[in-house]
Amino acid sequence: MDMTTASALRRLRLVSAPEAVSFLVLIVCSVLKRTTEFNAVPVVGMIHGVLFMIYILFWAIAWYFAKWSLKRAALYAVLSVLPAGGFWAERMLRQEVEAGVIAARARQEGVVSK
């Protein structure tokens, strides 16, 4: 795995958990808006919207550099619209980056060939 691909996956990983948290907070705020006088939906909605757009941008960049199959790219896209999917995406991306780094080190040390 080259540095460009690793950094693209790392960026997507770093934004996936905050995006998931903002989605869950938005759901809680939506329920509170309808059951109480508390209305934080405009603020939390804006924060979530910005994080979601950043996630989609980083997802497209990661798809381009990592050369994912359509199935794998679709999985990460679907995870972005599930309330806790960002946590699962973060975990999968961490494993993917770690596996890529280990493989790159093994190739560099001559343990395996390309």
Side-chain angles (χ1 to χ4, degrees), residues 34-47:
R34 284 157 180 74
T35 58
T36 66
E37 305 253 338
F38 182 74
N39 184 12
V41 171
V43 174
V44 176
M46 177 65 79
I47 293 168

Side-chain angles (χ1 to χ4, degrees), residues 3-84:
M3 290 303 292
T4 308
T5 304
S7 67
L9 293 176
R10 196 169 294 116
R11 280 191 306 262
L12 180 60
R13 180 179 157 234
L14 288 175
V15 78
S16 64
E19 190 272 336
V21 169
S22 71
F23 194 5
L24 294 173
V25 171
L26 181 61
I27 291 170
V28 169
C29 288
S30 295
V31 170
L32 289 175
K33 176 184 175 183
R34 284 157 180 74
T35 58
T36 66
E37 305 253 338
F38 182 74
N39 184 12
V41 171
V43 174
V44 176
M46 177 65 79
I47 293 168
H48 172 67
V50 168
L51 287 171
F52 180 75
M53 288 188 296
I54 291 170
Y55 181 94
I56 293 301
L57 175 67
F58 287 168
W59 167 80
I61 293 168
W63 184 8
Y64 176 77
F65 285 113
K67 296 177 180 40
W68 288 330
S69 65
L70 183 60
K71 183 179 176 182
R72 186 157 193 87
L75 172 66
Y76 286 118
V78 167
L79 288 175
S80 73
V81 297
L82 296 176

